[in-house]
Amino acid sequence: MRDLVEIGMGRTARRAFGLDEVEIVPSRRTRSSGDVSTGWQIDAYRFDIPLVTHPTDAVVSPATAVSVGELGGLGVLNAEGLWARHANVDEALARVHAAAEDADLTALTRVLQELHAAPIRTELVAEAIKKVTESGVTAAARVSPQRAAELTPDLLAAGVEILVVQGTIVSAEHVARGGEPLNLKNFIAELDVPVIAGGVHDYRTAMHLMRTGAAGVIVGYGSGPVTTTDSVLGIGVPMATAIVDAAAARRDYLDETGGRYVHVLADGGVHSSGDIAKSIACGADAVMLGAPLALAEEAPGRGLYWTAAAAHPSLPRSRVAPVADDEEIVDLRTLLFGPSSDADGLINLFGALRRAMAKTGYSDLKEFQKVGLTVRV
């Protein structure tokens, strides 16, 4: 039964839970972490760890996408970001870092807005994607719902193998005044590559997106230390509840279709390795990491983090802020797999996931989704 709370006369609200409010319950058995598999597969593409990068220029360059792929995850380029607009991205990033040295967060946002006012150049997008495909790892790129129809043909021609259609809120049909709406069902049906779409925050929207033919559904909008969507728009759902609801939609859709499985990706509220484990335990197949990857020395932001929403021309919904200092920066391999001297779960992110699965006796991710959970009261 849903936990409804009366918030005033005649109005109730549903009680929801964040990842920090739930805990994983150990089972009666344990196993060696060497016997645990963190692999997962979406369509024909298999990955060794359930990592998909949040598509922000702060953590993903073409070179970083290659490094993530070589380490077993999926790096997603922002096809509307700096690598799509500027031939000399190092120069563009230097402007961001220079503004950061002045510690003026408002000026930082203005710089990003100015940099993103430059037009998208398809030849630059193709060049960035080519660097990924030539390495042999899976190439993925993100587009917004507003520009998906416009940019996708060029992305596919450049070699994109997984397309991510992502916005703060994504519905099955994006309506635009003065133009044709983006009907995701028709859009996806015409593509030969798997599409991951989101974000969604509730059962009904997740189910609608699954019925469009999406191979994966993103839960959340990258909420974290710099995201301000909740204060700007008043929109937000605690992630544990949002993931569980989307996983319920996945189960019902599986029954509805007689076996079509849609992957759930958790994007937000993940600050540590424990949050990764709890996201999978709530029903996610993988996590989209943004701010936690800002600690990698390969990250273009060099300790700064922002999401794509920071560059919105009229209503930015992300700050540009430092989330790591020089002493905290480590190489990407160490960040993902250790070893670590950090006791807060910020380093060895997926080594810790393996240990959590082993400590609770589960051998793979699908089994681990059945682990018991408790709620802090």
Side-chain angles (χ1 to χ4, degrees):
M1 180 179 293
R2 294 195 173 196
D3 185 7
L4 296 178
V5 179
E6 186 173 331
I7 60 174
M9 294 182 63
R11 190 66 186 268
T12 59
R14 183 185 175 196
R15 174 76 169 97
F17 301 93
L19 292 173
D20 60 336
E21 296 176 278
V22 301
E23 300 287 354
I24 296 169
V25 180
S27 69
R28 62 182 175 84
R29 67 167 62 90
T30 59
R31 65 178 69 240
S32 169
S33 59
D35 296 331
V36 167
S37 170
T38 58
W40 70 296
Q41 183 166 329
I42 185 165
D43 202 82
Y45 302 96
R46 181 170 177 80
F47 304 96
D48 294 333
I49 54 175
L51 166 63
V52 179
T53 64
H54 186 83
T56 167
D57 298 325
V59 297
V60 187
S61 66
T64 311
V66 171
S67 297
V68 170
E70 290 174 343
L71 291 171
L74 176 65
V76 183
L77 291 168
N78 183 7
E80 300 175 30
L82 297 178
W83 272 269
R85 300 174 188 268
H86 298 275
N88 190 337
V89 180
D90 289 340
E91 184 177 292
L93 287 171
R95 288 187 57 192
V96 177
H97 295 306
E101 290 178 1
D102 296 332
D104 187 341
L105 300 184
T106 301
L108 271 167
T109 299
R110 287 201 203 98
V111 167
L112 271 186
Q113 289 174 320
E114 292 172 10
L115 291 171
H116 283 75
I120 293 175
R121 295 165 54 184
T122 56
E123 73 275 12
L124 294 181
V125 176
E127 181 182 341
I129 293 170
K130 183 179 179 181
K131 292 177 181 177
V132 180
T133 58
E134 287 182 342
S135 72
V137 305
T138 304
R142 172 261 178 189
V143 290
S144 64
Q146 295 87 346
R147 306 195 73 164
E150 170 194 351
L151 297 177
T152 296
D154 290 317
L155 294 177
L156 298 181
V160 162
E161 297 165 281
I162 297 178
L163 182 69
V164 178
V165 180
Q166 185 181 32
T168 302
I169 307 292
V170 172
S171 59
E173 182 173 309
H174 175 73
V175 180
R177 180 181 295 177
E180 289 295 319
L182 174 64
N183 186 303
L184 268 178
K185 185 172 185 178
N186 294 338
F187 175 76
I188 292 173
E190 295 174 355
L191 301 179
D192 292 327
V193 300
V195 175
I196 298 171
V200 302
H201 304 79
D202 65 320
Y203 172 95
R204 183 174 61 177
T205 311
M207 178 65 84
H208 285 173
L209 278 195
M210 290 174 187
R211 288 170 175 161
T212 67
V217 168
I218 300 167
V219 180
Y221 48 76
S223 58
V226 303
T227 308
T228 59
T229 297
D230 54 348
S231 58
V232 175
L233 299 181
I235 294 173
V237 177
M239 281 298 293
T241 296
I243 296 168
V244 170
D245 284 356
R250 177 185 61 204
R251 181 184 62 246
D252 291 347
Y253 181 70
L254 187 71
D255 292 340
E256 177 183 299
T257 58
R260 186 172 186 273
Y261 188 92
V262 179
H263 294 80
V264 170
L265 284 70
D267 184 24
V270 180
H271 310 297
S272 66
S273 56
D275 293 330
I276 295 174
K278 287 190 277 189
S279 295
I280 303 296
C282 286
D285 296 285
V287 292
M288 292 190 87
L289 293 188
L293 298 183
L295 276 66
E297 63 185 24
E298 291 89 342
R302 301 204 319 253
L304 290 178
Y305 184 68
W306 63 89
T307 72
H312 193 283
S314 61
L315 195 66
R317 297 179 302 282
S318 169
R319 293 182 295 271
V320 185
V323 295
D325 56 37
D326 290 342
E327 291 74 24
E328 296 173 307
I329 300 295
V330 297
D331 65 275
L332 183 62
R333 179 179 291 277
T334 299
L335 180 64
L336 300 183
F337 303 116
S340 171
S341 57
D342 167 75
D344 295 318
L346 302 179
I347 310 295
N348 197 2
L349 298 174
F350 291 92
L353 173 62
R354 294 178 68 91
R355 186 62 62 90
M357 294 169 64
K359 291 292 186 184
T360 52
Y362 293 89
S363 60
D364 59 41
L365 297 178
K366 295 306 302 177
E367 285 190 1
F368 191 54
Q369 291 174 345
K370 303 173 185 175
V371 69
L373 295 170
T374 59
V375 176
R376 295 179 182 177
V377 179

